[in-house]
Amino acid sequence: VHCDGIQWVHENSVEDNIIIRNNHIHTGIAQGIVLSTTKEWTNVIIENNLVHDLNTVSVYVMVGSTVIDPKINNNTIIKTGVSGAGVQLWGDIAELNNNILSSVYFGGSIITSRGNNIFKYLTHLTVLPSEAQIDDLGSLFINMNEYGFDGYSEDYRLADNSLARGFGNPDYGPNT
């Protein structure tokens, strides 16, 4: 059994116009969102998703190198498990804006548009002036601790004094 939240594999020469929007994914024993294959993906948008774990070993969002210039905006992806990466980006990225990401591994060569992200850990990236790197992501939310969100309350609001309030750029706000 391989329990992914969303795992999309295709055999077409190109898969086009993929939108993954407005999902709340509690990952259990595998990935949250995975787009990976030897075939190309174009016009991919990943936006307005909340992905968080149940303290497992895994990758929570993986975008493979055959995904051509995806747009990844307005997501909250929190990895609090014992190991693994929160987000793995293996190719070039068109947009990475207004996200709260616990950890990012970047294996591509360029991110065309990037800003207003809040990170905890970065690999192969440095924090831009319009971004923030903080040690305690739990301070952003009213109902989160070092183990993640309190899954029983389903309260994912930002804390009153959260750094994330007003941090995003409205130019990359939700399309819907």
Side-chain angles (χ1 to χ4, degrees):
V1 175
H2 196 19
C3 300
D4 293 327
I6 297 172
Q7 181 176 18
W8 197 328
V9 177
H10 72 87
E11 295 302 322
N12 302 323
S13 59
V14 174
E15 193 70 32
D16 192 36
N17 297 320
I18 306 301
I19 299 174
I20 301 173
R21 178 185 291 144
N22 297 333
N23 295 287
H24 179 190
I25 301 172
H26 303 264
T27 56
I29 59 172
Q31 293 91 345
I33 299 172
V34 178
L35 301 176
S36 182
T37 187
T38 58
K39 310 293 185 179
E40 276 191 6
W41 306 74
T42 59
N43 299 317
V44 173
I45 297 172
I46 301 172
E47 68 178 8
N48 306 333
N49 297 289
L50 171 61
V51 182
H52 60 97
D53 67 320
L54 301 173
N55 209 25
T56 64
V57 178
S58 189
V59 175
Y60 286 88
V61 174
M62 182 174 71
V63 179
S65 61
T66 57
V67 180
I68 309 302
D69 294 327
K71 297 176 180 178
I72 303 169
N73 296 316
N74 304 306
N75 298 285
T76 298
I77 303 166
I78 305 292
K79 169 73 179 122
T80 57
V82 293
S83 66
V87 178
Q88 289 185 356
L89 306 172
W90 290 100
D92 295 343
I93 306 298
E95 296 179 6
L96 184 68
N97 294 290
N98 297 351
N99 297 288
I100 299 172
L101 308 171
S102 58
S103 62
V104 176
Y105 174 89
F106 181 59
S109 60
I110 189 168
I111 299 176
T112 305
S113 171
R114 181 179 146 207
N116 302 89
N117 297 295
I118 298 174
F119 305 104
K120 184 171 182 178
Y121 301 110
L122 294 170
T123 305
H124 304 297
L125 288 174
T126 58
V127 178
L128 299 177
S130 66
E131 298 175 322
Q133 187 170 13
I134 63 173
D135 289 331
D136 181 16
L137 291 177
S139 67
L140 301 176
F141 303 93
I142 64 169
N143 198 28
M144 184 178 167
N145 59 34
E146 68 271 18
Y147 304 109
F149 290 107
D150 178 352
Y152 296 106
S153 73
E154 297 187 15
D155 189 347
Y156 306 103
R157 292 177 293 152
L158 294 173
D160 289 340
N161 61 349
S162 175
L163 169 68
R165 288 193 178 275
F167 197 83
N169 180 340
D171 291 343
Y172 295 100
N175 288 330
T176 59

